[in-house]
Amino acid sequence: MQKIKLMSHLVAGFPTDELALEAARAMVRGGAEILEIQLPFSDPSADGPAIQGACTRVLERGYKTADGLAFISKLHNEFPKITIYLMSYGSLVYTPGVEAFCKKAAEVGVTGMIIPDLPFDCDEGLTKYCRKNGMENIPVAAPTMTEERLDKLSKAGFPYIYAALRAGITGAATKIDGKTIDFIKKVSSGGSKVYGGFGIESGEQAKDLAPYVDAVVAGSVFVRIIAKNQENKENISKDVYKKAQELTKI
């Protein structure tokens, strides 16, 4: 049976490593084919209140980048066939050195990096060092880009591009309309596969989006479910699984 390809987003360590791991298991059981794991950061400029709050909670425990990479390693060991992308911000990648960071990420099972605040044509060597370590840099395209810049990105030869389906931050609902589809077509015009996300919360949105993207991306909706049920492991598992099923059904 055909289903929608889902990339589900998870903040490493939120609310604990144990519960985050349980949520990831539910995502995979529910049909997610890609796990996008965010390393908590103090100033997540592209993220809305749900993900910002989750990052703050984790950082208050003294969580470090090394802890996030260890969490990813556990995921990869448990689900070696599931694609894992690492999502974070330039500061965390640049501080230890881009080459060193990419090497560590690859060692724990990451196959792609999504770093929204590193522009595709000024990425501090991210694309180069990703490829050196068997990964791909997945740049982010935004609707606020000029036509010229969007055309340049689409023809830059990236296998995958993440299309942010509206301007602003994550979390608010996104309407999938003609403008959305036109934007996705421009992003994919150079042959790149497109991951489409920002504000995807329902199965109806996923169905509307699926014909035009390689995978539908959902993040804040899962973070809110985890936050709501963080005192109840069984509810996290049940509700995350249910949402993943909803987002993957044709």
Side-chain angles (χ1 to χ4, degrees):
M1 180 181 174
Q2 188 182 16
K3 67 184 184 68
I4 296 169
K5 187 174 181 180
L6 173 66
M7 181 198 300
S8 56
H9 181 101
L10 186 71
V11 176
F14 178 71
T16 66
D17 274 10
E18 178 188 2
L19 292 177
L21 185 58
E22 188 61 32
R25 289 168 177 151
M27 290 171 178
V28 173
R29 288 199 308 272
E33 297 181 43
I34 304 170
L35 295 176
E36 180 190 15
I37 309 301
Q38 178 166 350
L39 297 184
F41 184 59
S42 58
D43 187 23
S45 55
D47 298 308
I51 293 177
Q52 286 187 29
C55 287
T56 298
R57 279 283 306 278
V58 178
L59 292 172
E60 285 174 347
R61 301 202 326 259
Y63 209 78
K64 305 295 184 186
T65 297
D67 299 316
L69 293 174
F71 174 77
I72 291 173
S73 181
K74 287 181 183 178
L75 274 182
H76 177 62
N77 288 335
E78 186 164 342
F79 301 109
K81 294 183 179 181
I82 291 291
T83 298
I84 297 178
Y85 293 152
L86 184 155
M87 183 266 167
S88 192
Y89 291 90
S91 178
L92 291 186
V93 178
Y94 184 80
T95 299
V98 178
E99 183 173 11
F101 187 94
C102 288
K103 185 174 185 295
K104 288 180 181 178
E107 287 172 350
V108 299
V110 173
T111 58
M113 303 269 282
I114 302 171
I115 313 295
D117 58 346
L118 282 183
F120 73 95
D121 51 356
C122 188
D123 67 4
E124 302 293 344
L126 181 63
T127 300
K128 172 185 175 182
Y129 292 122
C130 276
R131 290 178 178 169
K132 182 179 178 181
N133 288 280
M135 302 186 295
E136 291 294 343
N137 176 27
I138 303 167
V140 177
T144 51
M145 282 182 164
T146 64
E147 292 285 338
E148 180 182 10
R149 185 160 179 75
L150 189 57
D151 184 63
K152 183 180 178 183
L153 171 57
S154 71
K155 294 176 180 175
F158 290 98
Y160 305 97
I161 298 174
Y162 184 122
L165 301 180
R166 57 171 171 72
I169 56 177
T170 62
T174 296
K175 182 180 179 181
I176 310 300
D177 56 17
K179 288 183 179 180
T180 309
I181 304 311
D182 287 344
F183 171 62
I184 292 170
K185 288 180 177 178
K186 289 175 184 176
V187 175
S188 63
S189 62
S192 301
K193 293 182 178 180
V194 177
Y195 299 135
F198 261 51
I200 302 302
E201 301 178 344
S202 71
E204 286 305 311
Q205 287 173 301
K207 289 184 185 72
D208 290 343
L209 185 59
Y212 306 99
V213 298
D214 187 64
V216 172
V217 187
S220 292
V221 63
F222 286 114
V223 176
R224 286 195 293 270
I225 290 172
I226 295 166
K228 179 182 177 182
N229 297 294
Q230 57 190 287
E231 304 299 329
N232 192 315
K233 180 178 178 179
E234 290 184 3
N235 280 357
I236 286 178
S237 181
K238 174 172 62 73
D239 290 353
V240 167
Y241 170 82
K242 182 179 179 181
K243 180 56 68 173
Q245 282 270 288
E246 176 190 338
L247 292 169
T248 55
K249 285 183 178 178
I250 295 295

Coordinates of all heavy atoms in Angstrom, one line a residue, residues 144-224:
T144 N 10.7 34.0 0.8 CA 11.1 35.4 0.7 C 12.4 35.5 -0.2 O 12.8 36.7 -0.4 CB 11.5 35.8 2.1 OG1 12.4 34.9 2.8 CG2 10.2 35.9 3.0
M145 N 12.9 34.5 -0.7 CA 14.1 34.6 -1.6 C 13.7 35.3 -2.9 O 12.6 35.1 -3.4 CB 14.6 33.2 -2.0 CG 15.5 32.5 -0.9 SD 16.1 30.9 -1.5 CE 17.4 30.6 -0.3
T146 N 14.6 36.1 -3.4 CA 14.4 36.7 -4.7 C 14.3 35.6 -5.8 O 14.9 34.5 -5.6 CB 15.5 37.7 -5.1 OG1 16.7 37.0 -5.2 CG2 15.6 38.8 -4.0
E147 N 13.7 35.9 -6.9 CA 13.6 34.9 -8.0 C 15.0 34.5 -8.4 O 15.3 33.3 -8.7 CB 12.8 35.5 -9.2 CG 11.3 35.7 -8.9 CD 10.5 34.4 -8.9 OE1 11.0 33.5 -9.6 OE2 9.5 34.4 -8.3
E148 N 15.9 35.5 -8.5 CA 17.3 35.2 -9.0 C 18.0 34.3 -8.0 O 18.6 33.3 -8.4 CB 18.0 36.5 -9.0 CG 19.5 36.4 -9.5 CD 20.2 37.7 -9.5 OE1 19.7 38.7 -9.0 OE2 21.3 37.7 -10.1
R149 N 17.8 34.5 -6.7 CA 18.5 33.7 -5.7 C 17.9 32.3 -5.7 O 18.6 31.3 -5.6 CB 18.5 34.3 -4.4 CG 19.3 33.6 -3.3 CD 19.6 34.5 -2.1 NE 20.4 33.7 -1.1 CZ 21.7 33.4 -1.2 NH1 22.3 33.8 -2.3 NH2 22.3 32.8 -0.3
L150 N 16.6 32.2 -5.8 CA 16.0 30.9 -5.8 C 16.4 30.1 -7.0 O 16.6 28.8 -6.9 CB 14.4 31.1 -5.7 CG 13.6 29.8 -5.5 CD1 14.0 29.1 -4.2 CD2 12.1 30.2 -5.5
D151 N 16.5 30.7 -8.1 CA 16.9 30.0 -9.3 C 18.4 29.5 -9.2 O 18.7 28.4 -9.6 CB 16.8 31.0 -10.5 CG 17.2 30.4 -11.8 OD1 16.5 29.4 -12.3 OD2 18.2 30.8 -12.4
K152 N 19.2 30.4 -8.5 CA 20.6 30.0 -8.3 C 20.7 28.7 -7.4 O 21.5 27.8 -7.7 CB 21.4 31.1 -7.7 CG 22.9 30.9 -7.4 CD 23.5 32.1 -6.8 CE 25.0 31.8 -6.5 NZ 25.7 33.0 -5.9
L153 N 19.9 28.7 -6.4 CA 19.9 27.6 -5.4 C 19.4 26.3 -6.2 O 19.9 25.2 -6.0 CB 19.0 27.9 -4.2 CG 18.7 26.7 -3.3 CD1 19.9 26.1 -2.7 CD2 17.8 27.2 -2.1
S154 N 18.3 26.5 -6.9 CA 17.7 25.3 -7.6 C 18.7 24.7 -8.6 O 18.6 23.5 -8.8 CB 16.4 25.7 -8.3 OG 16.7 26.5 -9.4
K155 N 19.6 25.4 -9.1 CA 20.5 24.9 -10.1 C 21.9 24.7 -9.5 O 22.9 24.4 -10.3 CB 20.6 25.9 -11.3 CG 19.3 26.1 -12.0 CD 19.4 27.1 -13.1 CE 18.1 27.2 -13.9 NZ 18.1 28.3 -14.9
A156 N 22.0 24.7 -8.2 CA 23.4 24.5 -7.5 C 23.8 23.1 -7.4 O 24.9 22.8 -6.9 CB 23.3 25.2 -6.2
G157 N 22.9 22.1 -7.8 CA 23.3 20.7 -7.8 C 23.1 20.0 -6.4 O 23.7 18.9 -6.3
F158 N 22.3 20.5 -5.5 CA 22.0 19.8 -4.3 C 21.0 18.7 -4.6 O 20.0 18.9 -5.2 CB 21.5 20.8 -3.2 CG 22.5 21.7 -2.7 CD1 22.5 23.0 -3.2 CD2 23.4 21.4 -1.7 CE1 23.4 24.0 -2.7 CE2 24.3 22.3 -1.2 CZ 24.3 23.6 -1.7
P159 N 21.3 17.5 -4.1 CA 20.4 16.4 -4.2 C 19.0 16.6 -3.6 O 18.0 16.2 -4.1 CB 21.1 15.2 -3.6 CG 22.5 15.5 -3.6 CD 22.6 17.0 -3.4
Y160 N 19.1 17.3 -2.4 CA 17.8 17.6 -1.7 C 17.8 19.1 -1.2 O 18.9 19.6 -0.9 CB 17.7 16.8 -0.4 CG 17.8 15.3 -0.7 CD1 19.0 14.6 -0.6 CD2 16.7 14.6 -1.1 CE1 19.0 13.2 -0.8 CE2 16.7 13.2 -1.3 CZ 17.9 12.5 -1.2 OH 18.0 11.2 -1.4
I161 N 16.7 19.7 -1.3 CA 16.5 21.0 -0.7 C 15.3 21.0 0.2 O 14.2 20.4 -0.1 CB 16.3 22.1 -1.8 CG1 17.5 22.1 -2.8 CG2 16.0 23.5 -1.2 CD1 17.3 23.1 -4.0
Y162 N 15.4 21.7 1.3 CA 14.3 21.8 2.3 C 13.5 23.1 1.9 O 14.1 24.2 1.9 CB 14.8 21.9 3.7 CG 13.7 21.9 4.8 CD1 13.7 20.9 5.8 CD2 12.8 22.9 4.9 CE1 12.8 20.9 6.8 CE2 11.8 22.9 5.9 CZ 11.8 21.9 6.8 OH 10.9 22.0 7.8
A163 N 12.3 22.9 1.6 CA 11.5 24.1 1.2 C 10.6 24.5 2.4 O 9.7 23.8 2.8 CB 10.5 23.8 0.0
A164 N 10.9 25.7 3.0 CA 10.1 26.2 4.0 C 8.9 26.9 3.4 O 9.0 27.8 2.6 CB 10.9 27.3 4.8
L165 N 7.7 26.3 3.7 CA 6.5 26.6 2.8 C 5.9 28.0 3.1 O 5.0 28.4 2.4 CB 5.5 25.5 3.0 CG 6.0 24.1 2.7 CD1 4.9 23.1 2.9 CD2 6.5 24.1 1.2
R166 N 6.4 28.7 4.1 CA 5.9 30.1 4.3 C 7.0 30.8 5.0 O 8.0 30.2 5.6 CB 4.6 30.1 5.1 CG 4.7 29.4 6.4 CD 3.5 29.7 7.3 NE 3.5 28.9 8.4 CZ 4.3 29.0 9.5 NH1 5.2 30.1 9.5 NH2 4.3 28.2 10.5
A167 N 6.9 32.1 5.0 CA 7.9 33.0 5.7 C 7.6 32.9 7.3 O 6.5 32.5 7.7 CB 7.8 34.4 5.3
G168 N 8.6 33.3 8.0 CA 8.4 33.3 9.5 C 9.0 32.1 10.2 O 10.0 31.5 9.7
I169 N 8.4 31.7 11.3 CA 8.9 30.6 12.1 C 8.0 29.4 12.1 O 6.9 29.5 11.6 CB 9.1 31.1 13.6 CG1 7.8 31.6 14.2 CG2 10.2 32.1 13.7 CD1 7.8 32.0 15.6
T170 N 8.5 28.3 12.6 CA 7.7 27.1 12.6 C 6.5 27.2 13.6 O 6.5 28.0 14.5 CB 8.5 25.9 12.9 OG1 9.0 26.0 14.3 CG2 9.7 25.7 12.0
G171 N 5.5 26.3 13.4 CA 4.5 26.2 14.4 C 3.1 26.5 14.0 O 2.2 25.8 14.2
A172 N 3.0 27.7 13.3 CA 1.6 28.1 12.9 C 1.2 27.2 11.7 O 2.1 26.8 10.9 CB 1.6 29.6 12.5
A173 N -0.1 27.0 11.5 CA -0.6 26.2 10.4 C -0.3 26.9 9.1 O -0.3 28.1 8.9 CB -2.1 26.0 10.6
T174 N 0.0 26.0 8.1 CA 0.3 26.5 6.8 C -0.8 26.1 5.8 O -1.2 24.9 5.8 CB 1.7 25.9 6.3 OG1 2.7 26.4 7.2 CG2 2.0 26.3 4.9
K175 N -1.2 27.0 5.0 CA -2.2 26.7 3.9 C -1.5 26.3 2.7 O -0.6 27.0 2.2 CB -3.0 27.9 3.6 CG -4.1 27.7 2.6 CD -4.9 28.9 2.3 CE -6.0 28.7 1.3 NZ -6.8 29.9 1.0
I176 N -1.8 25.1 2.1 CA -1.2 24.6 0.9 C -2.1 25.1 -0.2 O -3.2 24.6 -0.4 CB -1.1 23.1 0.9 CG1 -0.5 22.5 2.2 CG2 -0.4 22.6 -0.3 CD1 0.9 23.0 2.4
D177 N -1.6 26.1 -1.0 CA -2.4 26.6 -2.1 C -1.5 26.7 -3.4 O -0.4 26.2 -3.4 CB -3.0 28.0 -1.7 CG -1.9 29.0 -1.3 OD1 -0.7 28.7 -1.6 OD2 -2.2 30.0 -0.6
G178 N -2.1 27.4 -4.3 CA -1.4 27.5 -5.6 C 0.0 28.2 -5.5 O 1.0 27.7 -6.2
K179 N 0.1 29.2 -4.6 CA 1.4 29.8 -4.4 C 2.4 28.9 -3.8 O 3.6 28.9 -4.2 CB 1.2 31.0 -3.5 CG 0.5 32.2 -4.2 CD 0.4 33.4 -3.3 CE -0.3 34.6 -3.9 NZ -0.3 35.8 -3.0
T180 N 1.9 28.0 -2.9 CA 2.8 27.0 -2.3 C 3.4 26.1 -3.3 O 4.6 25.8 -3.4 CB 2.0 26.2 -1.2 OG1 1.4 27.1 -0.3 CG2 3.0 25.3 -0.4
I181 N 2.5 25.6 -4.2 CA 2.9 24.6 -5.2 C 3.8 25.3 -6.2 O 4.8 24.6 -6.6 CB 1.7 24.0 -5.9 CG1 0.7 23.4 -4.9 CG2 2.1 23.0 -7.0 CD1 1.3 22.4 -3.9
D182 N 3.6 26.5 -6.6 CA 4.4 27.2 -7.5 C 5.8 27.4 -7.0 O 6.8 27.2 -7.7 CB 3.9 28.6 -7.9 CG 2.7 28.5 -8.8 OD1 2.5 27.5 -9.4 OD2 1.9 29.5 -8.9
F183 N 5.9 27.7 -5.7 CA 7.2 27.8 -5.0 C 7.9 26.5 -5.0 O 9.1 26.4 -5.3 CB 7.0 28.3 -3.5 CG 8.2 28.3 -2.7 CD1 9.3 29.0 -3.0 CD2 8.2 27.4 -1.5 CE1 10.4 29.0 -2.2 CE2 9.3 27.4 -0.7 CZ 10.4 28.2 -1.0
I184 N 7.3 25.4 -4.7 CA 7.9 24.1 -4.7 C 8.4 23.7 -6.1 O 9.6 23.2 -6.2 CB 6.9 23.0 -4.2 CG1 6.6 23.2 -2.7 CG2 7.5 21.6 -4.4 CD1 5.5 22.4 -2.2
K185 N 7.7 24.0 -7.1 CA 8.1 23.8 -8.5 C 9.4 24.5 -8.8 O 10.3 24.0 -9.5 CB 7.0 24.1 -9.4 CG 5.8 23.0 -9.4 CD 4.7 23.4 -10.3 CE 3.6 22.3 -10.3 NZ 2.5 22.7 -11.2
K186 N 9.5 25.8 -8.3 CA 10.7 26.6 -8.6 C 11.9 26.0 -7.9 O 13.0 25.9 -8.4 CB 10.4 28.0 -8.1 CG 9.5 28.8 -9.0 CD 9.2 30.2 -8.4 CE 8.2 30.9 -9.3 NZ 7.8 32.2 -8.6
V187 N 11.6 25.5 -6.6 CA 12.7 24.9 -5.9 C 13.3 23.6 -6.5 O 14.5 23.4 -6.6 CB 12.3 24.6 -4.4 CG1 13.3 23.8 -3.7 CG2 11.9 25.9 -3.7
S188 N 12.4 22.9 -7.1 CA 12.7 21.6 -7.7 C 13.1 21.7 -9.2 O 13.5 20.7 -9.8 CB 11.6 20.6 -7.6 OG 10.5 21.0 -8.3
S189 N 13.1 22.9 -9.8 CA 13.3 23.1 -11.2 C 14.6 22.7 -11.7 O 14.8 22.4 -12.9 CB 13.0 24.6 -11.6 OG 14.0 25.4 -10.9
G190 N 15.6 22.6 -10.8 CA 17.0 22.2 -11.3 C 17.2 20.7 -11.1 O 18.3 20.2 -11.3
G191 N 16.2 20.0 -10.6 CA 16.4 18.5 -10.5 C 16.5 18.1 -9.0 O 16.6 16.9 -8.8
S192 N 16.6 19.0 -8.1 CA 16.7 18.6 -6.7 C 15.4 18.0 -6.2 O 14.3 18.5 -6.6 CB 17.1 19.8 -5.8 OG 18.3 20.4 -6.2
K193 N 15.5 17.0 -5.3 CA 14.3 16.5 -4.6 C 14.0 17.5 -3.5 O 14.9 18.1 -2.9 CB 14.5 15.1 -4.0 CG 14.6 14.1 -5.1 CD 14.8 12.7 -4.5 CE 14.9 11.6 -5.6 NZ 15.1 10.3 -5.1
V194 N 12.7 17.7 -3.2 CA 12.3 18.7 -2.2 C 11.6 18.1 -1.0 O 10.7 17.2 -1.1 CB 11.3 19.7 -2.9 CG1 10.8 20.7 -1.9 CG2 12.0 20.4 -4.0
Y195 N 12.0 18.5 0.2 CA 11.3 18.2 1.4 C 10.5 19.5 1.8 O 11.1 20.6 1.9 CB 12.3 17.9 2.5 CG 13.2 16.7 2.3 CD1 14.6 16.8 2.5 CD2 12.7 15.5 1.8 CE1 15.4 15.7 2.3 CE2 13.5 14.4 1.6 CZ 14.8 14.5 1.8 OH 15.6 13.4 1.6
G196 N 9.2 19.3 2.0 CA 8.4 20.4 2.3 C 7.8 20.4 3.7 O 7.2 19.5 4.1
G197 N 8.1 21.5 4.4 CA 7.6 21.6 5.8 C 7.3 23.1 6.2 O 7.4 24.0 5.4
F198 N 7.1 23.2 7.5 CA 6.7 24.5 8.2 C 5.2 24.5 8.3 O 4.4 24.7 7.4 CB 7.1 25.7 7.4 CG 8.4 26.3 8.0 CD1 9.5 25.6 8.2 CD2 8.4 27.7 8.3 CE1 10.7 26.1 8.7 CE2 9.6 28.3 8.8 CZ 10.7 27.5 9.0
G199 N 4.7 24.1 9.5 CA 3.3 24.2 9.8 C 2.4 23.1 9.3 O 1.2 23.3 9.2
I200 N 3.0 21.9 9.1 CA 2.2 20.8 8.7 C 1.7 20.1 9.9 O 2.5 19.6 10.7 CB 3.1 19.8 7.8 CG1 3.6 20.6 6.6 CG2 2.2 18.6 7.4 CD1 2.5 21.2 5.7
E201 N 0.4 20.0 10.0 CA -0.2 19.5 11.3 C -1.2 18.4 11.0 O -1.5 17.6 11.9 CB -0.9 20.6 12.0 CG 0.0 21.7 12.4 CD -0.8 22.8 13.2 OE1 -2.0 22.8 13.1 OE2 -0.1 23.7 13.8
S202 N -1.8 18.3 9.8 CA -2.9 17.4 9.6 C -2.6 16.5 8.4 O -1.8 16.8 7.5 CB -4.2 18.2 9.3 OG -4.1 18.9 8.1
G203 N -3.4 15.4 8.3 CA -3.3 14.5 7.2 C -3.8 15.2 5.9 O -3.2 14.9 4.9
E204 N -4.7 16.1 6.0 CA -5.2 16.8 4.8 C -4.1 17.6 4.2 O -3.9 17.7 3.0 CB -6.4 17.6 5.2 CG -7.7 16.9 5.4 CD -8.1 15.9 4.2 OE1 -8.0 16.4 3.1 OE2 -8.3 14.8 4.5
Q205 N -3.4 18.3 5.1 CA -2.2 19.1 4.5 C -1.2 18.2 3.9 O -0.7 18.5 2.8 CB -1.5 19.9 5.7 CG -2.3 21.1 6.2 CD -1.6 21.6 7.5 OE1 -1.4 20.9 8.5 NE2 -1.2 22.8 7.4
A206 N -0.9 17.1 4.5 CA 0.1 16.1 4.0 C -0.4 15.6 2.6 O 0.4 15.5 1.7 CB 0.3 15.0 5.0
K207 N -1.7 15.3 2.5 CA -2.2 14.8 1.2 C -2.1 15.8 0.1 O -1.7 15.5 -1.0 CB -3.6 14.4 1.4 CG -3.9 13.1 2.2 CD -5.3 12.7 2.2 CE -5.6 11.5 3.1 NZ -5.5 11.9 4.5
D208 N -2.4 17.1 0.5 CA -2.3 18.2 -0.5 C -0.9 18.4 -1.0 O -0.6 18.7 -2.1 CB -2.8 19.5 0.1 CG -4.3 19.4 0.3 OD1 -5.0 18.6 -0.3 OD2 -4.8 20.3 1.1
L209 N 0.1 18.2 -0.1 CA 1.5 18.5 -0.3 C 2.2 17.3 -1.0 O 3.1 17.5 -1.8 CB 2.2 18.9 1.0 CG 3.6 19.3 1.0 CD1 3.8 20.6 0.1 CD2 4.1 19.6 2.4
A210 N 1.9 16.1 -0.7 CA 2.6 14.9 -1.0 C 2.9 14.8 -2.5 O 4.0 14.4 -2.9 CB 1.9 13.7 -0.5
P211 N 2.0 15.1 -3.5 CA 2.3 14.9 -4.9 C 3.5 15.8 -5.4 O 4.0 15.5 -6.4 CB 1.0 15.3 -5.6 CG 0.0 15.2 -4.5 CD 0.6 15.6 -3.3
Y212 N 3.9 16.8 -4.6 CA 4.8 17.8 -5.1 C 6.2 17.7 -4.4 O 7.1 18.4 -4.8 CB 4.3 19.2 -5.0 CG 2.9 19.3 -5.6 CD1 1.7 19.3 -4.9 CD2 2.8 19.5 -7.0 CE1 0.5 19.4 -5.4 CE2 1.6 19.6 -7.6 CZ 0.4 19.5 -6.8 OH -0.8 19.6 -7.4
V213 N 6.3 16.8 -3.4 CA 7.6 16.8 -2.6 C 8.0 15.3 -2.5 O 7.2 14.4 -2.6 CB 7.4 17.4 -1.2 CG1 7.1 18.9 -1.3 CG2 6.4 16.6 -0.4
D214 N 9.3 15.2 -2.2 CA 9.8 13.8 -1.9 C 9.4 13.3 -0.5 O 9.2 12.2 -0.3 CB 11.4 13.8 -2.0 CG 11.9 12.4 -1.9 OD1 11.6 11.6 -2.8 OD2 12.7 12.1 -1.0
A215 N 9.3 14.3 0.4 CA 8.8 13.9 1.8 C 8.1 15.1 2.4 O 8.5 16.3 2.1 CB 10.0 13.5 2.7
V216 N 7.1 14.9 3.2 CA 6.4 15.9 3.9 C 7.1 16.0 5.3 O 7.4 15.0 5.9 CB 4.9 15.5 4.1 CG1 4.3 16.5 5.1 CG2 4.2 15.5 2.8
V217 N 7.4 17.2 5.8 CA 8.1 17.4 7.0 C 7.1 17.9 8.1 O 6.4 18.9 7.8 CB 9.2 18.4 6.9 CG1 10.0 18.5 8.2 CG2 10.1 18.0 5.7
A218 N 7.1 17.3 9.2 CA 6.2 17.7 10.4 C 7.1 17.8 11.6 O 7.8 16.8 11.9 CB 5.1 16.8 10.5
G219 N 7.0 18.9 12.3 CA 7.9 19.1 13.5 C 7.1 19.5 14.7 O 7.0 18.8 15.7
S220 N 6.7 20.8 14.7 CA 6.0 21.4 15.9 C 4.9 20.5 16.4 O 4.6 20.4 17.6 CB 5.6 22.8 15.6 OG 6.7 23.7 15.4
V221 N 4.1 19.9 15.5 CA 3.0 19.1 15.9 C 3.4 18.0 16.8 O 2.7 17.7 17.8 CB 2.2 18.6 14.7 CG1 3.0 17.7 13.8 CG2 0.9 17.9 15.1
F222 N 4.5 17.4 16.5 CA 5.0 16.3 17.3 C 5.6 16.8 18.7 O 5.4 16.2 19.7 CB 6.1 15.5 16.6 CG 5.6 14.6 15.5 CD1 5.9 14.8 14.2 CD2 4.8 13.5 15.8 CE1 5.4 14.0 13.2 CE2 4.3 12.7 14.8 CZ 4.6 12.9 13.5
V223 N 6.3 17.9 18.6 CA 6.9 18.5 19.8 C 5.7 18.9 20.8 O 5.9 18.7 22.0 CB 7.7 19.8 19.5 CG1 8.2 20.4 20.8 CG2 8.9 19.3 18.6
R224 N 4.6 19.4 20.3 CA 3.5 19.8 21.1 C 2.9 18.5 21.8 O 2.5 18.5 22.9 CB 2.4 20.5 20.3 CG 2.8 22.0 20.1 CD 1.6 22.8 19.6 NE 1.1 22.4 18.3 CZ 1.5 22.9 17.1 NH1 2.4 23.8 17.1 NH2 1.0 22.4 16.0

